[in-house]
Amino acid sequence: MRRWPYTFAVCLSVAVGLTAIIFSQRLNVPLRDPDGFLGPAYIRLPFIGLLFFAVGVIPVALKRAGVRGAVHEARRIVREEWSWKRVLYIATGLISFYVCYVSYRNLKSDLPVVRNVHFDKQMLDIDYFLFFGHNPAPVLHNLLGTGVSAQVLSIIYVAYLPLIPLTLGAFLVWGKDVSVGAWYATALSLNWVLGVVSYYAVPTLGPAFVQQSMFTDLPDTSAATLQRGLFHAATRFYDDPSGGSTYGIAGFASLHVSVVVSACLFLRLTKQRKLVQTVAWVYLGLVVLATIYFGWHYLADDVAGAFIGWAAVVIGAWATGNTKWQRRRREKELLPPATDVEPAVEPAS
């Protein structure tokens, strides 16, 4: 199965895609492109790939040949480094990731139709216990303040939305080892699938949607705007599930945390630059703070999200042949065979 590093990702995308289609047919809820406001998928995906292709080729051509010879040098780079096999791998990574993501969003939207139950009270009780009789969000508001901190954490939280597909595009297009790009695409895809499983296992809304009084002291931020948009869309979905709105509220587990944990572990295991790794871990810490600060998630949501992120990287490594023992075995297979013939010894003069 692992001879082609995308076998698992393609099978996963087909399985979750069929599941989303079956749910749609059984529940009479139409499939939707959750990010359709950014344009159709057949435009967005090629655009991401072409963007990184241009960034990977044009600056190198300019550096090597200057402005006058840039076009000729760019053609040479494409001819020598960009085979159809490499293009096929990039397209497969983007498509499998996107199918898993769209299926995840549609299955998440079906959640209130399938499971009309919530475990928010239990999660609130756990938070209250772990914070010694206090709710975590107000504690963070008092500790960090509700001015500049709110604006910064809001930017951190919302920045996640474009960062993930951009990092995927970077590893798929710029990476020389296609199995490493497949590893990252598979890990991200697994996050969506494992995340939606956790939504159905333990349905929750999140503190901001069940105890809004804890967040009235926060200023208007992009995170608050996003919460209001999700709330209004959820209200419209409850009124008419077959209408044009998509339900997007789910607490357990935190996919923000899980995906960023996967990115951090992937950067570490692939031995990226220390500065990049440090920035990623700092970003993860700020994301965790933001999830609690704005009431997106409970503490248990973040813990579960971290576990999903770890599991996705581990399974993705196995599925694409990137575990330590798999890499060692490949390296041994590439070594020339040992010989039992003793080397000839020249006689001393």
Side-chain angles (χ1 to χ4, degrees):
M1 182 187 72
R2 293 186 298 275
R3 280 185 174 274
W4 188 44
Y6 280 106
T7 302
F8 183 90
V10 169
C11 291
L12 182 69
S13 63
V14 170
V16 72
L18 289 175
T19 303
I21 293 172
I22 292 170
F23 269 57
S24 174
Q25 295 295 321
R26 294 283 180 86
L27 302 174
N28 196 27
V29 177
L31 290 172
R32 304 179 181 91
D33 183 353
D35 299 324
F37 64 92
L38 295 175
Y42 59 82
I43 292 178
R44 291 200 305 275
L45 289 179
F47 176 77
I48 292 175
L50 289 173
L51 174 66
F52 281 98
F53 168 78
V55 174
V57 172
I58 295 175
V60 176
L62 288 172
K63 183 178 179 181
R64 291 179 182 176
V67 176
R68 291 184 177 180
V71 174
H72 176 75
E73 183 64 20
R75 289 175 180 172
R76 190 182 69 81
I77 293 172
V78 171
R79 187 171 56 252
E80 294 178 358
E81 300 182 10
W82 288 83
S83 64
W84 282 111
K85 178 181 177 181
R86 184 178 179 184
V87 173
L88 174 64
Y89 274 51
I90 293 170
T92 304
L94 288 173
I95 293 171
S96 59
F97 163 84
Y98 191 76
V99 169
C100 287
Y101 173 71
V102 171
S103 301
Y104 146 78
R105 287 291 300 273
N106 278 276
L107 289 169
K108 180 181 181 180
S109 185
D110 297 335
L111 179 59
V113 181
V114 179
R115 297 210 65 190
N116 190 20
V117 61
H118 300 109
F119 295 92
D120 288 273
K121 183 182 182 305
Q122 292 85 343
M123 292 296 186
L124 283 168
D125 290 342
I126 294 173
D127 279 5
Y128 194 77
F129 172 77
L130 293 176
F131 263 64
F132 306 100
H134 298 86
N135 289 308
V139 171
L140 290 180
H141 298 168
N142 293 329
L143 181 65
L144 302 176
T146 57
V148 176
S149 298
Q151 301 296 338
V152 171
L153 289 176
S154 176
I155 294 171
I156 292 295
Y157 190 86
V158 175
Y160 160 94
L161 300 174
L163 277 178
I164 298 308
L166 287 176
T167 58
L168 174 64
F171 278 106
L172 288 178
V173 178
W174 292 343
K176 300 296 183 182
D177 187 341
V178 292
S179 73
V180 172
W183 179 9
Y184 192 49
T186 302
L188 293 180
S189 300
L190 275 165
N191 271 278
W192 308 132
V193 177
L194 295 176
V196 80
V197 169
S198 70
Y199 293 162
Y200 279 80
V202 187
T204 61
L205 297 173
F209 298 100
V210 296
Q211 282 202 348
Q212 297 180 8
S213 59
M214 291 194 298
F215 305 93
T216 55
D217 59 335
L218 294 180
D220 194 20
T221 62
S222 53
T225 301
L226 181 58
Q227 286 177 338
R228 287 195 299 271
L230 289 174
F231 179 80
H232 294 316
T235 302
R236 292 192 296 270
F237 182 86
Y238 275 117
D239 292 338
D240 182 14
S242 62
S245 295
T246 301
Y247 181 87
I249 300 174
F252 186 92
S254 171
L255 266 291
H256 265 68
V257 172
S258 76
V259 171
V260 179
V261 165
S262 285
C264 290
L265 292 175
F266 177 79
L267 292 173
R268 178 178 176 274
L269 293 172
T270 54
K271 299 179 181 179
Q272 303 300 317
R273 294 179 180 178
K274 290 293 183 181
L275 177 60
V276 175
Q277 294 187 47
T278 302
V279 170
W281 286 108
V282 171
Y283 180 72
L284 171 61
L286 293 173
V287 165
V288 171
L289 273 178
T291 62
I292 305 300
Y293 185 93
F294 291 109
W296 288 104
H297 293 289
Y298 303 102
L299 296 176
D301 299 348
D302 286 353
V303 174
F307 176 78
I308 288 174
W310 168 82
V313 170
V314 172
I315 297 172
W318 167 81
T320 57
N322 280 289
T323 62
K324 286 184 178 180
W325 67 269
Q326 287 169 331
R327 283 188 165 275
R328 287 172 183 169
R329 185 179 65 183
R330 286 205 303 271
E331 289 171 358
K332 288 181 180 179
E333 290 173 352
L334 293 174
L335 291 175
T339 177
D340 295 330
V341 179
E342 292 292 333
V345 178
E346 295 183 2
S349 56

